[in-house]
């Protein structure tokens, strides 16, 4: 039995589907069991990752768990899981974990999550994807309003990855112990700037999109207006001050799954319906 947390999210939903395709039984941790749509053969369970005593139904009898980072009571949760017989944790982390920067709230959260899993005594695999291609969904409101898209961090190239490729790697790690105690850096096949992504969306959607690149000052103002201060500071640190380089391309998806990582064009074509404005 494989437990997938965050089972309805961008990555978690793909992990559920990938593990089922591998022929393994899956429990999907969801906030609300009633009305949730899951693939056939997937069991929905509820529980609060920050309250380990609520996780018995989800954890008991599970061999491995796909885990989201950032939970306050993670050591207690992992102790509960270990006592229930869980053997392996596949943690969704990020490249920022290697910064070990206590001043950056995102990097700090990722590093602490990895530390808790590493110290749990369980077998572990850390997935460190770079930015997700699905982050392009943040442009949906602008695309619905017109053809001009304002983009932050215009000079920053990122080797973004399709969440489906993260899930394919996660499924292999959850079902094959050869990936135990390994850090897997995950990227797409090319580093693209926001303008490159907008150009691809324009071609796929057959629209004359215009990329409006924000200045650093405009970006800082937008971050301050839309995020809590510590998160606004974290992303400014990553992409304006340059503490995080996500441009390097890694071969991990191909090495683990046997297929090449999907391109941003592949991702955009697969999600054309989500960008429809009619």
């Amino acid at each position: 039995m494989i437990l997938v947390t965050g089972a309805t999210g961008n990555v978690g939903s793909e992990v559920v589907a990938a593990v089922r395709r591998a022929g393994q039984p899956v429990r999907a941790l969801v906030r609300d069991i009633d009305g949730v749509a899951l693939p056939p053969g997937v069991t929905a369970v509820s529980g609060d990752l920050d309250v380990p005593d609520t996780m018995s139904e989800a954890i008991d009898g599970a061999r491995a768990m796909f885990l989201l980072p950032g939970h306050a009571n993670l050591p207690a949760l992992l102790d509960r899981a270990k006592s229930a017989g869980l053997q392996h944790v596949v943690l969704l982390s990020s490249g920022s974990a290697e910064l070990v920067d206590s001043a950056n709230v995102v990097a700090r959260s990722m590093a602490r999550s990895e530390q808790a899993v590493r110290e749990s005594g369980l077998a572990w695999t850390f997935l460190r994807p770079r930015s997700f291609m699905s982050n392009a969904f943040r442009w949906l409101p602008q695309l619905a309003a017109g053809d001009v898209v304002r983009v932050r961090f215009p000079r920053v190239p990122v080797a973004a990855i399709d969440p489906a490729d993260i899930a394919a790697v996660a499924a292999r790690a959850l079902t094959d112990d050869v990936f135990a105690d390994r850090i897997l850096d995950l990227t797409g096949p090319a580093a693209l700037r926001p303008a490159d992504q907008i150009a691809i969306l324009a071609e796929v959607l057959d629209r004359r999109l215009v990329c409006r690149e924000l200045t650093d000052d405009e970006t800082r103002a937008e971050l301050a207006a839309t995020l809590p201060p510590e998160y606004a500071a974290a992303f400014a640190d990553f992409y304006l001050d340059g503490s995080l380089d996500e441009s390097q391309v890694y071969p991990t998806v191909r090495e683990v799954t046997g297929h090449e990582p999907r391109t941003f064009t592949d991702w955009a074509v697969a999600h054309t319906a989500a960008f429809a404005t009619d």
Side-chain angles (χ1 to χ4, degrees):
M1 179 63 68
I2 308 296
L3 171 63
V4 178
T5 71
T8 58
N10 283 334
V11 178
S13 60
E14 297 280 6
V15 175
V16 168
V19 174
R20 281 301 296 145
R21 286 195 296 271
Q24 298 297 313
V26 182
R27 284 183 191 149
L29 185 71
V30 297
R31 291 182 180 275
D32 185 5
I33 292 178
D34 296 333
V36 66
L38 295 169
V42 177
T43 302
V45 291
S46 62
D48 186 338
L49 289 166
D50 288 320
V51 185
D53 289 344
T54 69
M55 290 290 295
S56 295
E57 181 184 8
I59 290 174
D60 290 351
R63 185 192 67 81
M65 171 171 56
F66 176 76
L67 181 63
L68 301 184
H71 297 284
N73 209 12
L74 199 50
L77 172 68
L78 295 168
D79 284 345
R80 173 70 185 80
K82 186 176 180 181
S83 67
L86 193 89
Q87 300 172 28
H88 190 178
V89 174
V90 176
L91 177 71
L92 182 64
S93 184
S94 86
S96 67
E98 67 183 1
L99 300 179
V100 195
D101 182 357
S102 61
N104 185 301
V105 65
V106 176
R108 181 171 69 243
S109 175
M110 295 299 175
R112 287 180 176 176
S113 294
E114 288 192 4
Q115 181 180 5
V117 174
R118 199 189 298 268
E119 293 176 352
S120 69
L122 296 163
W124 53 266
T125 306
F126 298 154
L127 307 184
R128 289 183 176 174
R130 282 22 181 192
S131 293
F132 299 171
M133 291 179 181
S134 55
N135 289 348
F137 286 142
R138 69 187 180 276
W139 296 323
L140 282 174
Q142 297 188 69
L143 291 169
D147 291 335
V148 177
V149 184
R150 294 162 52 89
V151 300
R152 303 167 183 169
F153 318 120
R155 298 183 301 278
V156 179
V158 173
I161 183 170
D162 187 332
D165 283 328
I166 301 173
V169 172
R172 285 296 314 279
L174 287 162
T175 57
D176 191 336
D177 290 339
V178 71
F179 299 102
D181 301 339
R182 289 182 58 184
I183 296 172
L184 302 178
D185 290 289
L186 307 177
T187 69
L192 302 177
R193 295 176 299 111
D196 301 323
Q197 293 187 332
I198 295 296
I200 290 169
L201 286 175
E203 182 176 355
V204 170
L205 301 176
D206 193 22
R207 291 177 60 179
R208 294 184 176 181
L209 301 179
V210 176
C211 180
R212 158 77 160 86
E213 298 183 345
L214 300 183
T215 66
D216 288 357
D217 287 344
E218 289 173 324
T219 294
R220 290 183 192 276
E222 281 205 357
L223 291 173
T226 57
L227 294 173
E230 59 185 355
Y231 285 91
F235 289 111
D237 174 55
F238 286 157
Y239 302 120
L240 295 181
D241 300 334
S243 69
L244 181 63
D245 180 2
E246 295 188 313
S247 64
Q248 182 174 348
V249 173
Y250 289 88
T252 317
V253 170
R254 173 177 48 79
E255 292 173 347
V256 172
T257 69
H259 69 70
E260 294 295 333
R262 295 167 180 85
T263 66
F264 187 76
T265 300
D266 295 332
W267 178 87
V269 169
H271 294 86
T272 301
F275 289 93
T277 58
D278 296 337

